[in-house]
Every structure is written in C-alpha cells, then in structure tokens.
Amino acid sequence: MKIVPLAQLQAPDEGVRRFSPLGLSMAGMLTAEAAAEHQQHTITSAELVEAVPGETRASFERLRTLHSHGILCYDAFTAVVDLAPLVADLALRERFLAFYANEVPVIDRDGSEQLVRTNAVGQLVETLKQENLRLGDWPPSEQFQGGFGQLLRWARRHDLLSGQRARQSEQWLQRARNRIAHPDGHHVLTPVTSAREIHDLAEIINRLWGSRTAGGRLYPAPIQREVLALGVEEDGAGSICLAQALGDYGSLLHATVLLVRGVPGDDLFEFDVRYENTRFPAQLLWGPGSYPDALSWLAQHEPRSDTVEYLDRWFVIRRAEGRTELPCRLEVVAGRPEQERSGHWSLVRADSPNDAFIHVKYEHQPFCGPCQSCAADGIAAGAWADLITVLGERGVEITPVVAPEARMPGRWRT
C-alpha cells in the first residue's frame, strides 16, 4: 500500500463534486463545501423514530456518517450499500427479542410450552438445538435458525412489515445480504444509490417499530384524500376540480357530476364506480347527478377529506370467455345481482389494482402465495362462494355496496 500525505487524504473527490441537486453534471462541479453540504442534505430526512433501540440506532448512524465522508472517499458510498443489509439484519434480531420481551415461547419434545430467557437470537438458536426444543411461534416443519430470510418472514406474519411492493424490496435485501457473505466480484456504487439505501433502511427499521413514513417508497403512511368533483360534459370530455371550488366552474352547468374522495394527482379520469381503475382508493360520495344538485348536496353535507390505507388491499378479478376483467372491490361484487357473480374469480392482495391484474392476466404460477414474479399475493381462486369461504376463514367481513353505473370517460377510451 502506498502511503499518501494527509493533505491528499483530505482532498475532496472530484467524482462526488459532480453530483449536484440537479443531477449528475459532466460540464461542471460543485465546490467542495457545496458538495459536502449537498450529500448530507440527501440523507438528513432519514431519521429513526424514538422507539428504535440503541444498537440498531448506532449502526444506522454509522452509515450516515460514512455517507457524509464520501466527499473524501468515493468508496464510502459502496461501503454504505454493502453494510445496509447487515444493519437491517441487526434490526430484525433486536425487534424479534423485543417482541417477546426476551422471553421466547418454545415447545419441548413432549409438546409442553415454556419460556426461554435469551439476550441474543444466536443464543436462542443454540438453546433450541441443545435442548431439542422448537420455537412455539414457528411452523413445526421448519427448524428455526434465526436467518435473515426467516426473520423477514416472521416479521411479515406479525404485521411488522407490510405491502406487496415492499416485499420485493425485502427479497432484494435478502439477496444482497447473501452476496455480502459470498461476493462474486468488486463493484463501485454512487452517492445516489447510497442515499436511497439509507432512506430505505430507515423506512424498514421504523416500520419494524410500528411507524410508517409519510410519502415513503417502501412503507408509506396512509394517504390523504380530498373531496373532488368529477364532471362529464355533454361532448364526453371530463373535468376534475376540488369540490369546494365547484361553484366557480360554471362551464359544468350541463355536465353530469360525481362527488368522490380521491387523491389529487391520481388518474381519476379513469374512475369507475364498479371497477378499481385508479392507483389509490377512490370513494363515491354522491352521484351521478346534475351540477345544481351536486352543489346542493355539498352545501347540505359538507364532506371532509380523510386518510386511507392503500397497501395490501383486497381485489377480486373475474375471468370469463378467455377475457380478464378489471379488478373490483369485494364490497362492490358482493352488491351485484347473483347472476353477475357467476364465473371464475381470483382473490388477490396487492398495493394497486394494476399489480393484481398482472398477476391474474398473465397467470403467474404458483397462483397462491406471495408471487416471485410480481408484487401480488394470490389468496384463492374459484367460484364466488369459494372466495367468500376463504375470506370468512380469515375473518374478513364484507358489507355489500350497490354501485351505480357511473364512470369518467377515460383518457384512452375510444
């Protein structure tokens, strides 16, 4: 190894200086001071909630420190990405022990349950082996080894992790964890990748301790919906505005109006009461009806905005005559006449209707279980009565909703 002067070790890396708030710049560079400030700004919002214990917190802060020092050593960004799965592993282990308050229920060879006091997952695994015990909260057919993948599955069974798209990121994290132990070669990663990994790691850790991230990429908090007016004009054109501003839209005087709770920015031009066409859940409040009647209903009822959960939603999809219909809500199908509930149905959990549709449309196999090809979890398939039975076994109650024929014209319909 060549010994270099301290001044050279302290020299800002020119590659880092090319990463600016506007993206990668090949034409110029930030000053060293601006580059150092920018890299710290990219991770400043990745904070852990107070409930996260000290060992996990200290390991996470080490990654943020490494990222901040990347201005002096570009390889620090790669080190952050490589170490992040190990910090997630530690977080899972600490959460596992905290979940049981360090007293884990186990079952002995006679089938009796007892508690094992432990301060480490590795110590618990050794006790299980030496005393021929098995974890009480674990499938009997599989031996608990305390591995990263097993702890991820355990966290999902206890709803400490959620969302089907996040599940795919968790699987990637598991593969990354394995690559650290069995590397195939040298690699170099960017400040952008490092910052994203820190933010994702913060979301994972916070979710394990019961907190979700507003606007998060993996475990977003429930999203706010506003009361919106959707108008279908006489020529078939669609319009959308905040319901509180509907009185200012005299151009909708002869339009058919729907009042809904929806997320501004979602593709509400595709809204259809009978099907799930929008990314986020949209709720019909009133309509269809005339413009004056819509104003009257708003004045009388004064509906408010709300927040709605949109991860791990239930969707049902019917296949008929070789055609895959659009996803529906359980309540809407339950409210249809019996003859409209015939045919072959698929029950899927997904974070968006499009994810559920892809799983059924392209017949991903195996259908049931978390899909390895897409962000969906196949639950059951068969007649409508079969799905109702499965939902009942899971404790899901359905209140039928009679949905009127009401939809927007759509951007792409002809």
Side-chain angles (χ1 to χ4, degrees), residues 345-369:
W345 292 87
S346 298
L347 175 64
V348 182
R349 292 192 80 179
D351 298 341
S352 77
N354 191 53
D355 292 342
F357 181 80
I358 288 172
H359 186 66
V360 176
K361 167 74 173 178
Y362 296 102
E363 301 180 350
H364 289 173
Q365 298 297 327
F367 172 81
C368 289

Side-chain angles (χ1 to χ4, degrees), residues 61-102:
E61 289 301 332
R62 177 191 294 155
L63 296 188
R64 295 213 299 181
T65 300
L66 267 175
H67 181 93
S68 298
H69 282 78
I71 183 65
L72 302 177
C73 178
Y74 197 95
D75 283 337
F77 301 122
T78 303
V80 168
V81 178
D82 287 348
L83 290 173
L86 300 181
V87 179
D89 196 347
L90 172 62
L92 281 164
R93 288 168 175 262
E94 284 209 287
R95 188 65 185 94
F96 179 88
L97 295 174
F99 185 85
Y100 298 109
N102 293 82

Side-chain angles (χ1 to χ4, degrees), residues 272-276 327-329 332-333 336-337 340 403-406:
D272 189 324
V273 179
R274 291 168 60 85
Y275 298 98
E276 294 293 288
C328 302
R329 285 191 296 129
V332 169
V333 178
R336 293 180 181 178
E340 293 187 24
E405 290 281 352

Side-chain angles (χ1 to χ4, degrees), residues 41-46 60 194-204 218:
H41 272 304
T42 63
I43 59 171
T44 189
S45 63
F60 177 79
S194 174
R196 185 184 62 198
E197 199 73 15
I198 287 173
H199 279 276
D200 285 355
L201 182 60
E203 284 199 51
I204 291 170
L218 300 182

Side-chain angles (χ1 to χ4, degrees), residues 5 14 61 70 85 100 104 115 130 139 141 157 172 188 210 221 232 273 282 353 381:
E14 290 190 3
E61 289 301 332
Y100 298 109
V104 182
L115 297 177
Q130 293 173 4
S141 59
R157 275 209 309 275
W172 180 91
V188 178
V232 182
V273 179

Side-chain angles (χ1 to χ4, degrees), residues 221-405:
I223 196 166
Q224 181 165 318
R225 298 190 298 189
E226 302 294 342
V227 180
L228 304 170
L230 314 184
V232 182
E233 301 177 47
E234 291 180 307
D235 60 359
S239 300
I240 300 175
C241 67
L242 289 172
Q244 64 190 31
L246 181 60
D248 298 328
Y249 284 77
S251 59
L252 297 178
L253 179 61
H254 301 294
T256 299
V257 178
L258 303 170
L259 299 176
V260 306
R261 282 196 183 96
V263 176
D266 198 1
D267 197 359
L268 290 162
F269 285 100
E270 301 297 326
F271 176 75
D272 189 324
V273 179
R274 291 168 60 85
Y275 298 98
E276 294 293 288
N277 285 346
T278 55
R279 168 73 175 88
F280 304 105
Q283 175 193 10
L284 178 68
L285 298 175
W286 177 89
S290 69
Y291 178 79
D293 287 345
L295 290 174
S296 176
W297 189 90
L298 286 170
Q300 181 179 354
H301 293 85
E302 297 182 347
R304 304 294 181 184
S305 61
D306 70 355
T307 57
V308 64
E309 173 63 74
Y310 63 95
L311 300 183
D312 290 320
R313 290 147 62 194
W314 296 101
F315 297 101
V316 283
I317 300 173
R318 181 167 65 174
R319 294 187 67 120
E321 299 178 355
R323 177 174 174 268
T324 304
E325 297 181 356
L326 294 173
C328 302
R329 285 191 296 129
L330 296 171
E331 298 83 359
V332 169
V333 178
R336 293 180 181 178
E338 185 174 352
Q339 63 270 20
E340 293 187 24
R341 299 199 299 266
S342 62
H344 184 275
W345 292 87
S346 298
L347 175 64
V348 182
R349 292 192 80 179
D351 298 341
S352 77
N354 191 53
D355 292 342
F357 181 80
I358 288 172
H359 186 66
V360 176
K361 167 74 173 178
Y362 296 102
E363 301 180 350
H364 289 173
Q365 298 297 327
F367 172 81
C368 289
C371 185
Q372 300 302 308
S373 302
C374 71
D377 183 3
I379 306 300
W384 176 252
D386 299 329
L387 271 57
I388 292 297
T389 299
V390 171
L391 290 165
E393 293 171 350
R394 289 174 171 249
V396 178
E397 297 182 1
I398 304 174
T399 302
V401 171
V402 178
E405 290 281 352

